[in-house]
Amino acid sequence: QVQLAESGGGLVQAGGSLRLSCAASGSIFSIASMGWYRQAPGKQRELVAAITSGGSTNYADSVKGRFTISRDSAKNTVYLQMNSLKPEDTAVYYCTAGVMNGPMSPGMDYWGKGTLVTVSS
């Protein structure tokens, strides 16, 4: 099994910054992509940002230029630096990782439990 542990959420004023971290642990042979999704109250979960093992990144249009995703492959950790936060960024942020448990295992997607980010106006 694989566990993803998020940290770094909290309450911040509009215009402020937060940095989320997510560390993967457990039965890990390799990790392909890692990413962050978010879900605001009453809305569907949406992709915020993703990063491949090669470092290619993808961002939602709503966060481009404000958020930066990065990863430390040696630590199986992904980060999300969030700057210029807006009240509409308020949501539970979930970490996800595509993990191979062994050299012949198919990849599986794992999810963290989420961390709450609240941006006050």
Side-chain angles (χ1 to χ4, degrees):
Q1 278 294 343
V2 174
Q3 297 78 41
L4 300 181
E6 301 115 330
S7 61
L11 174 64
V12 64
Q13 288 188 332
S17 298
L18 283 175
R19 188 190 193 212
L20 305 183
S21 300
C22 172
S25 61
S27 180
I28 299 171
F29 175 75
S30 67
I31 300 179
S33 64
M34 301 185 80
W36 293 92
Y37 282 71
R38 68 185 180 186
Q39 187 166 20
K43 294 187 177 181
Q44 290 188 332
R45 191 174 297 189
E46 63 175 357
L47 173 69
V48 176
I51 184 168
T52 68
S53 56
S56 297
T57 58
N58 182 40
Y59 294 93
D61 287 343
S62 59
V63 307
K64 284 181 180 177
R66 300 188 297 122
F67 291 10
T68 302
I69 189 170
S70 60
R71 66 188 284 178
D72 184 335
S73 295
K75 296 181 179 180
N76 292 329
T77 299
V78 64
Y79 306 96
L80 186 67
Q81 178 66 44
M82 305 185 293
N83 298 328
S84 302
L85 283 160
K86 304 175 181 180
E88 51 263 44
D89 295 318
T90 295
V92 177
Y93 284 69
Y94 297 90
C95 170
T96 183
V99 179
M100 290 181 63
N101 303 118
M104 302 300 292
S105 300
M108 292 184 62
D109 290 332
Y110 292 88
W111 291 82
K113 295 181 178 180
T115 184
L116 178 63
V117 172
T118 303
V119 184
S120 63
S121 57

